[in-house]
Amino acid sequence: TAAALYSYYPDKTTLFEEVKLVCLAELKSYLVKNVRKADTSIEQLKTILESFATWCFKHPQKALLVMSKLQANTSASGDELKSYYECNAFGQAILEHAVADGYVVSDDPRFDTSIAVSALWGVIESILLKRADPIYWKQGKKCTDRFIKQYLLSLAYNEK
């Protein structure tokens, strides 16, 4: 019952924060498991992006809840926010390795990781919510694969 929940959580915001963190931990575990199978840092980079998309399509309710529906915890401290962005930090570390190995160029891996997550989520969300062209509603992987390819190509582009 709703009343019983309040014996475990002081309010619904705290409950929702716990739900987000559990979902994000599940996502990170999935990403880590898949990335371990890749040999090179560029394969790891591609794998983490593909795995994020796959997890979202396998768990659309969780993905939409965490990425779109639940409000951001804007009152959290810097240390508290780290648990919300562990997946991003993992992706950033992989991108940094790919840069160090000479596969891609990134002057700001944290920013480029944030761009990748935000843009890839936009592609995924447009499929899940049926906001993309109807011909692509059942072709989510095709759409995300295309985005991932374009993103990886963009990291090799250097305006300097």
Side-chain angles (χ1 to χ4, degrees), residues 18 23 26 29-30 43 49 59 66 71 82-83 85 91 93 100 104 119 122 126 128 130 139 146 155:
E18 182 69 22
C23 290
E26 178 186 315
S29 175
Y30 183 78
E43 289 171 0
L49 294 166
H59 307 283
V66 171
Q71 289 185 332
K82 284 181 184 177
S83 48
Y85 293 95
V104 294
S126 71
L128 294 177
K130 309 275 190 264
Q139 297 183 38
R146 175 66 180 262
L155 292 176

Side-chain angles (χ1 to χ4, degrees), residues 17-36:
E17 292 305 308
E18 182 69 22
V19 168
K20 279 194 279 189
L21 292 173
V22 167
C23 290
L24 289 169
E26 178 186 315
L27 171 59
K28 183 175 181 203
S29 175
Y30 183 78
L31 297 176
V32 168
K33 179 184 85 168
N34 288 320
V35 166
R36 283 186 181 148

Side-chain angles (χ1 to χ4, degrees), residues 4 10 19 21 24 30 39 46 53-54 68 83 89-90 108 116 119 123 146:
V19 168
L21 292 173
L24 289 169
Y30 183 78
D39 292 327
K46 185 175 184 229
T54 299
S68 294
S83 48
F90 182 53
D108 189 344
V123 173
R146 175 66 180 262

